[in-house]
Amino acid sequence: MARPARSATAGAAVTALAVAAAACAAPNDDAKSGGTDSAVVGIAYEPDSLSPLLGYGKDGNSKIFDGLLTHDADMKLKPALAAELPKVTDDGRTYTYKLRDGVKFSDGKPFTSKDVVFTYDTILDKKTNNASKAELDAVRDVEAKGDDTVVFHLKYPYAPFAERTVLPIAPQHVAGQQDVNNGRFTTRPIGTGPYKLVKWSKGEKLVFKANPDYWGGAPKIKNFTMAIIKDDDVRATRLRSGDLDGAILPPNLAKTFKADTAKKTYAANSFDYRVVTLPTGNKVAGDTDIRRALDIGVDRKAMVDQILEGAGKAAYGPVPTDSPWFTKGTEREHDLAKAKKLLDQAGWKTGADGIRKKDGVRAAFPLWYLAGDKLRQDHALAYASDAKKLGIDVKVESGTWEVIMPRMPKDAVLAGGGAPADPDFDQYSLLKSSLAGNGFNNMAHYDNKKVDAALEDARRTDDKAKRQAAYDTVQRALVNDPGYTFLTHIDHLYVVDKKFGDLSTQVEPHDHGLASGPWWNVEDWKA
Amino acid sequence: MSRRLPWGPMARLTGRRIAFAVPVLAAVTFGVFAIAAASPFDPVKAYAGTAGLTASQENLDQLRANLGVDQPLFARWWDWLTSAVTGDLGDSAVMRQPVAQVIGERLGWSVLLAATAFLVAVVLGTLLGVLAARRQGGWLDRAVTSLAYTLEAAPPFWLGLLAVWLFALKLGVLPAGGLTDTGSSTITAGQVLSHLALPAGVLAVSQLPWFVLYVRQGVGDALDEDPVRGARARGLAPRTVLFGHALRSGMLPVLTLIGSRVPELITGALLVETVFSWPGIAAATVQAATSVDFPLLAAVTVLATLAVLAGNWAADLLYGIADPRVGFDG
């Protein structure tokens, strides 16, 4: 058997060390011993790779890298590797970025426009296994002008494009020398960011050390560790035992820390919605009257109170009610009587079994959720029980995506999503009729000409008022012609030791990125 | 034993086993590819992860082509096999690393865990077995045997959870998981030892009953045999009789047992590593399986098969050496 030499030496080294261990068992709690220049947090999710070329950190805020732009606490864009916000010319088709001076990668090599071009070109390359490259669909080409200017030429005017340039920049002199899909860079990244990766023990933890030469100033928290603990209960236990300084927790476990005076609970507002897709291809779920009845017949408040234990809010579309993009007046009151009346008038008559019928079609359809996801299961069951009260038989079933995906054109699915950066991101992919059945885009096969036109208008102008008007049109259309039943926007809960002072959170997307939670700006924490 | 070892027959046995291993390994890897191809999991979806939820169809199709999973089963297997023979184990899709690197980083820790557990199980098992055999039917014998039967029925992952609950949560004396303390970035021997204690202990305990019961039986039988009775009659000390005479002949069945326990040790290690988040090959195996990561899955399976074949080979060799009547024909 040809065992790789490194494992043999590792094993041997450890055995040798183990023998000598009794003699040198001195405590080595470097990170835990007092002081607050170290932080250890527990997270539930582990990235597949740390290479931005494969999609890591594409929504900004990765601790190892910087993008051209980044978000502040209110999710407003601000310059990072760019010296200022981009100049947009040519009717929104050309974006010009001036780069910050004197920035170095953590290996000491300077950052230049070549690295930016390399990063975008590599992501768009067909041979690169990046599953998010469609987000850069608007890009025609990227051009370096001298060392300190980068120009993006777009295929069509795309107002939210600047939001896409938060994605991290990789060093060409390192990443360009290796296999982009499997090279060393995917697990040992080098960037310009506030932290350097010291160690990634897969399935166990990520260890970061402050980058003393960071262009934004050296972080006060010198050692930062993310422990990957998938099980919620284990995470809570290790937080309680002092092994962790902070952790993300589901509502029921976060509640158990209420009485702990040394810890504080943070509820991060999010765009993370749970929704039921009502596929147009289903005779019942595709019926506008059924859709509207369900839209006002579901008790969203009860879901927030009981399923989310209050940590969240009712959702009426992908845009949360507290976002400036939300169209006031499109909230739907829970009104069972009105919903029943609507169905009666539309000719859906209650049959002997309590389920409605129209033209021989029974008001019934299946609702799938991802097996093992407790939160989605609870939402699905609550939805089915509300539907039952209207005389609609929703049969809840669970499966993996492999089972669910082929059924999406006909069966309803309890889905989730949410991208806070720009209203275009969620609404275009959810509602655009030309994207129906394209991967996970427009799962409901929603088809509304007026909405299609408004979505196009909204992305082709960067006039804020015109965009708002277009998204108002979309959100109002969803009231009369809902292709989805939006249920809730869920808060993400974090419990953190008070020794770090008062912290803040960003508005969070559906994905639990590494840098979500109060540690989104760990580099700014006062040690 | 001062007699000379029968090198010739031993080499012939080894040669036969190696010749036998080649078709076995080829068949096993093909089986892995066939089962993985028939599984309902889609490697492209596994690879894309959450990003796949917003990916365009064109993007997903391109990924399928890049990962080579659009190839027919036989072609994929043949590609893998021919490059594996030349030393290229391919790239793991799920780990975004070359397979050799994944194995290199993890195998050492798995070997450390399994070897420690095995050593503890053999030593402790032999000791308890001999003590139990010394006075069969006595209180110690009854306690040890009933404990062994109980442990035999307990699955390793259940023992692992129990150990975490008791030692890490209730008593707080040992860490619940990982290779080192969470906040620490360096690997020190002291930390590895304290983190090794629980998983290795659990794995050892789960292997223990077989050794205890076999040794007890073997030594018990040997104590009744003429040579031992003779030794006792000559007035030798009970300790010398027990360890010098009875143990030596009683150990014979244990030798075969050591080899044949290898598969159990591997599956036990997989479960124990998962419970204790031990950064060994287990987590990689589980991930490879659920994401239909063909190259990694095949390499890990080859390793496990090799370990089992080597275990059987070692057992037959040892048995042949210990008891010349058995020979090396098997």
Side-chain angles (χ1 to χ4, degrees):
Chain A
M1 180 177 82
R3 198 168 65 181
R6 274 181 48 204
S7 70
T9 40
V14 168
T15 327
L17 283 171
V19 174
C24 61
N28 193 11
D29 284 4
D30 49 346
K32 276 203 298 189
S33 58
T36 47
D37 66 344
S38 307
V40 182
V41 301
I43 57 175
Y45 150 94
E46 179 170 38
D48 299 310
S49 130
L50 292 176
S51 169
L53 305 170
L54 298 181
Y56 167 67
K58 68 186 176 66
D59 297 316
N61 201 3
S62 66
K63 294 292 144 217
I64 314 162
F65 297 95
D66 296 300
L68 291 173
L69 305 180
T70 188
H71 293 119
D72 65 10
D74 303 320
M75 290 301 287
K76 277 228 290 289
L77 284 176
K78 63 173 188 181
L81 289 179
E84 57 207 45
L85 292 178
K87 283 196 185 57
V88 187
T89 52
D90 191 20
D91 283 337
R93 282 198 189 82
T94 306
Y95 281 67
T96 307
Y97 289 80
K98 195 125 189 87
L99 302 186
R100 190 179 291 274
D101 241 7
V103 176
K104 285 189 165 65
F105 286 101
S106 62
D107 63 356
K109 296 267 168 37
F111 153 78
T112 73
S113 56
K114 281 200 210 70
D115 300 301
V116 180
V117 174
F118 163 76
T119 299
Y120 283 85
D121 280 352
T122 309
I123 291 175
L124 289 167
D125 187 336
K126 275 195 181 341
K127 292 268 161 273
T128 304
N129 295 339
N130 181 320
S132 319
K133 68 175 81 188
E135 295 185 352
L136 296 177
D137 177 60
V139 177
R140 202 185 67 217
D141 64 75
V142 193
E143 176 196 0
K145 282 200 168 142
D147 269 357
D148 66 343
T149 306
V150 175
V151 185
F152 291 85
H153 301 283
L154 306 189
K155 296 180 208 155
Y156 46 84
Y158 186 52
F161 179 70
E163 287 288 352
R164 294 302 190 203
T165 58
V166 298
L167 74 79
I169 302 301
Q172 182 177 22
H173 67 272
V174 180
Q177 312 300 314
Q178 330 175 343
D179 176 348
V180 59
N181 296 319
N182 306 298
R184 191 180 149 81
F185 185 72
T186 60
T187 49
R188 308 272 164 81
I190 288 166
T192 56
Y195 285 90
K196 298 195 260 193
L197 181 77
V198 180
K199 185 166 173 272
W200 180 11
S201 166
K202 282 212 174 151
E204 193 197 354
K205 63 187 171 188
L206 290 140
V207 183
F208 302 94
K209 220 172 196 68
N211 175 2
D213 305 318
Y214 184 51
W215 57 268
K220 303 258 189 327
I221 301 287
K222 299 287 177 223
N223 301 293
F224 183 52
T225 303
M226 291 172 166
I228 297 140
I229 306 160
K230 299 223 163 94
D231 188 275
D232 293 332
D233 290 299
V234 175
R235 218 176 314 118
T237 304
R238 285 174 65 174
L239 178 61
R240 199 167 285 120
S241 75
D243 187 25
L244 305 174
D245 297 318
I248 180 165
L249 291 175
N252 59 335
L253 285 171
K255 212 168 58 181
T256 62
F257 287 89
K258 278 257 160 66
D260 190 335
T261 52
K263 292 188 175 62
K264 187 172 168 181
T265 303
Y266 296 88
N269 239 321
S270 89
F271 268 50
D272 190 359
Y273 59 75
R274 292 295 175 273
V275 66
V276 175
T277 68
L278 298 170
T280 306
N282 184 300
K283 277 207 177 100
V284 177
D287 181 279
T288 308
D289 297 305
I290 293 276
R291 290 171 165 188
R292 288 179 60 189
L294 284 168
D295 205 23
I296 53 176
V298 293
D299 192 348
R300 296 176 171 89
K301 190 172 176 306
M303 293 185 191
V304 172
D305 291 344
Q306 281 154 32
I307 300 175
L308 305 180
E309 310 220 14
K313 49 192 175 290
Y316 305 99
V319 185
T321 46
D322 56 0
S323 160
W325 292 102
F326 181 73
T327 307
K328 293 266 182 311
T330 59
E331 296 94 340
R332 270 79 96 189
E333 284 293 317
H334 170 58
D335 193 335
L336 206 58
K338 196 173 149 194
K340 282 185 181 164
K341 213 171 119 198
L342 199 155
L343 288 171
D344 287 337
Q345 283 170 352
W348 286 97
K349 295 275 182 296
T350 311
D353 58 351
I355 303 305
R356 290 172 192 268
K357 259 189 181 160
K358 182 183 179 181
D359 305 333
V361 177
R362 200 166 166 270
F365 59 86
L367 169 60
W368 290 86
Y369 70 90
L370 187 62
D373 189 326
K374 177 82 167 44
L375 201 58
R376 290 185 190 207
Q377 179 185 351
D378 289 348
H379 275 91
L381 292 172
Y383 188 78
S385 127
D386 285 351
K388 193 81 161 202
K389 291 179 197 149
L390 298 173
I392 301 170
D393 182 18
V394 174
K395 192 164 176 285
V396 174
E397 299 193 61
S398 73
T400 62
W401 284 124
E402 283 82 1
V403 175
I404 298 171
M405 214 172 164
R407 293 177 164 83
M408 285 188 333
K410 294 271 183 203
D411 294 3
V413 178
L414 205 125
D422 192 278
D424 176 80
F425 296 170
D426 279 325
Q427 298 186 53
Y428 196 87
S429 58
L430 267 172
L431 301 171
K432 183 78 177 159
S433 62
S434 59
L435 291 180
N438 180 316
F440 283 89
N441 292 317
N442 194 353
M443 286 165 74
H445 292 238
Y446 187 71
D447 189 354
N448 182 319
K449 293 284 162 291
K450 217 166 110 190
V451 170
D452 279 348
L455 288 171
E456 281 304 331
D457 290 347
R459 60 163 44 182
R460 278 166 192 275
T461 173
D462 57 359
D463 181 329
K464 178 91 201 290
K466 281 190 192 152
R467 297 193 78 198
Q468 181 76 63
Y471 288 124
D472 286 348
T473 307
V474 173
Q475 291 175 65
R476 291 211 181 89
L478 278 181
V479 179
N480 297 318
D481 179 19
Y484 298 80
T485 315
F486 287 88
L487 303 176
T488 57
H489 276 104
I490 65 180
D491 289 346
H492 299 160
L493 296 182
Y494 303 87
V495 178
V496 186
D497 200 303
K498 277 187 180 158
K499 71 183 175 188
F500 298 108
D502 264 341
L503 307 172
S504 61
T505 55
Q506 263 181 326
V507 180
E508 300 191 349
H510 171 59
D511 287 342
H512 288 269
L514 281 189
S516 302
W519 41 92
W520 74 275
N521 64 343
V522 60
E523 64 273 19
D524 296 334
W525 289 11
K526 313 263 184 299
Chain B
M1 281 178 234
S2 54
R3 69 196 163 82
R4 288 193 47 201
L5 287 174
W7 291 113
M10 280 167 65
R12 277 196 294 282
L13 172 79
T14 308
R16 270 201 306 278
R17 289 302 166 88
I18 291 173
F20 173 67
V22 173
V24 167
L25 285 176
V28 165
T29 56
F30 185 75
V32 167
F33 272 75
I35 290 170
S39 87
F41 295 111
D42 180 357
V44 174
K45 278 197 198 70
Y47 185 91
T50 47
L53 300 183
T54 51
S56 66
Q57 195 58 50
E58 184 196 352
N59 196 179
L60 293 174
D61 293 344
Q62 184 67 48
L63 266 182
R64 191 172 297 279
N66 286 1
L67 295 175
V69 287
D70 52 348
Q71 301 289 314
L73 163 67
F74 189 81
R76 236 170 353 191
W77 172 71
W78 186 249
D79 273 357
W80 178 85
L81 193 69
T82 45
S83 43
V85 167
T86 64
D88 175 13
L89 293 176
D91 295 317
S92 159
V94 65
M95 297 283 170
R96 272 47 161 190
Q97 275 176 312
V99 168
Q101 199 180 334
V102 175
I103 293 173
E105 280 172 10
R106 292 164 172 272
L107 191 64
W109 299 120
S110 286
V111 169
L112 175 70
L113 173 65
T116 312
F118 205 55
L119 202 68
V120 171
V122 171
V123 171
L124 204 63
T126 308
L127 200 69
L128 285 176
V130 170
L131 289 178
R134 199 172 57 162
R135 200 159 297 130
Q136 292 208 6
W139 66 268
L140 186 71
D141 180 37
R142 269 180 294 168
V144 167
T145 7
S146 45
L147 183 71
Y149 282 122
T150 313
L151 287 177
E152 201 174 345
F157 75 88
W158 181 80
L159 287 176
L161 291 176
L162 200 68
V164 169
W165 174 79
L166 181 65
F167 292 101
L169 297 186
K170 286 288 152 200
L171 304 177
V173 289
L174 284 168
L179 183 65
T180 54
D181 287 346
T182 318
S184 156
S185 58
T186 48
I187 297 173
T188 62
Q191 286 206 357
V192 171
L193 270 190
S194 69
H195 283 76
L196 179 66
L198 275 188
V202 167
L203 191 54
V205 162
S206 74
Q207 299 296 317
L208 196 59
W210 283 270
F211 293 112
V212 170
L213 296 174
Y214 266 68
V215 171
R216 174 184 171 275
Q217 193 64 44
V219 173
D221 290 350
L223 279 174
D224 284 340
E225 279 171 13
D226 289 344
V228 177
R229 280 219 286 257
R232 234 194 302 222
R234 288 201 304 277
L236 290 177
R239 185 184 299 257
T240 321
V241 175
L242 193 62
F243 286 99
H245 295 78
L247 182 58
R248 186 186 278 186
S249 57
M251 276 302 277
L252 262 183
V254 179
L255 291 180
T256 29
L257 188 66
I258 287 181
S260 61
R261 293 306 301 165
V262 169
E264 289 280 348
L265 188 69
I266 293 174
T267 48
L270 290 191
L271 295 169
V272 167
E273 281 187 15
T274 312
V275 172
F276 290 95
S277 23
W278 187 256
I281 204 85
T285 310
V286 173
Q287 256 186 304
T290 53
S291 17
V292 203
D293 187 345
F294 292 100
L296 183 56
L297 202 56
V300 167
T301 317
V302 167
L303 278 181
T305 314
L306 278 177
V308 171
L309 291 175
N312 283 331
W313 165 78
D316 290 346
L317 217 54
L318 284 173
Y319 208 88
I321 295 169
D323 189 347
R325 287 168 297 173
V326 177
F328 296 99
D329 300 328

